[in-house]
Amino acid sequence: MIDEFPAAPTAAEIFPIYLVADTSGSTVRNDFHAGWLRALPELVYLVEEHGDAGRVCVLTFATDAVVRVPLTAPARLTMLPATVPGGVTSLAAGLRRLADTVAADRAQFEADGITVRAPRVLVLMDGLPTDATPELLLARAALDAVLGTAPPHLAVPAGADDLALAGLRMTVHRIADADPAEVAAGMVGAARSALSDPSGCAVSR
């Protein structure tokens, strides 16, 4: 929920940060979904550390993708979404919705005369997507068109196949999946890395 009454922090330049979380049915395994819910307040706090310029958007995907929190200043958030797992892991749906959202957000801020820094994207996924390769590549290309050269970051459990992940062209962060606390810690660690160093497509271990 966004508080509509206090004035949002103002800035001549904004730093948009997009959190894109897998909430498919498979995320109930290995405490991935529980870890996501535990990590979310800390992830928002990381955005808040960037001062008045920081803006956060929360988007989830499964069979379809939904914007849970539109791009906003963390100080205006009074409640965070409580997501429910279900559906298949359609990363393509998530990337398409993300591309549309990034483009619309940028157009709105630029129309208001506000400079928009290159966005940072962190995708949180519990394994490989279920999309057909052509569909996934088309969605990835649509995202490239709005992100430019900086690749998204991807936090994923250690067991996901390296070769398959390489095709996503994202900076990969491996996270433990032993319990909700470890999953959450891995997600927050990936976010810290994404916010401090967005360049390159390396795989962090």
Side-chain angles (χ1 to χ4, degrees):
M1 181 180 295
I2 299 173
D3 189 342
E4 297 181 357
F5 297 100
T10 57
E13 177 180 272
I14 69 153
F15 180 25
I17 297 163
Y18 294 85
L19 304 175
V20 183
D22 177 5
T23 55
S24 62
S26 61
T27 60
V28 299
R29 297 196 299 262
N30 301 317
D31 291 317
F32 187 92
H33 187 261
W36 151 246
L37 294 178
R38 185 165 180 161
L40 184 53
E42 293 185 66
L43 295 172
V44 171
Y45 177 74
L46 290 181
V47 178
E48 197 167 17
E49 289 182 344
H50 288 270
D52 289 351
R55 297 291 188 276
V56 63
C57 173
V58 179
L59 186 154
T60 63
F61 67 93
T63 304
D64 299 304
V66 179
V67 175
R68 303 288 181 176
V69 177
L71 193 66
T72 191
R76 294 189 63 190
L77 293 176
T78 60
M79 187 180 299
L80 295 174
T83 54
V84 177
V88 300
T89 310
S90 178
L91 179 59
L95 297 184
R96 285 193 299 267
R97 179 59 62 90
L98 176 62
D100 290 344
T101 302
V102 170
D105 289 342
R106 178 181 294 143
Q108 180 62 62
F109 280 108
E110 290 180 347
D112 293 338
I114 298 172
T115 301
V116 181
R117 291 171 57 183
R120 310 281 175 90
V121 172
L122 175 63
V123 178
L124 308 164
M125 190 165 61
D126 81 327
L128 297 178
T130 56
D131 307 287
T133 299
E135 183 180 11
L136 189 55
L137 292 177
L138 283 172
R140 186 67 180 84
L143 185 60
D144 283 344
V146 297
L147 283 188
T149 58
H153 286 246
L154 171 66
V156 66
D161 182 75
D162 282 341
L163 185 59
L165 293 175
L168 298 177
R169 292 181 291 109
M170 298 184 184
T171 300
V172 177
H173 306 266
R174 299 293 186 170
I175 60 176
D177 56 3
D179 59 56
E182 288 200 8
V183 173
M187 291 177 176
V188 172
R192 287 190 183 279
S193 179
L195 294 178
S196 63
D197 183 10
S199 61
C201 291
V203 176
S204 67
R205 301 279 183 186

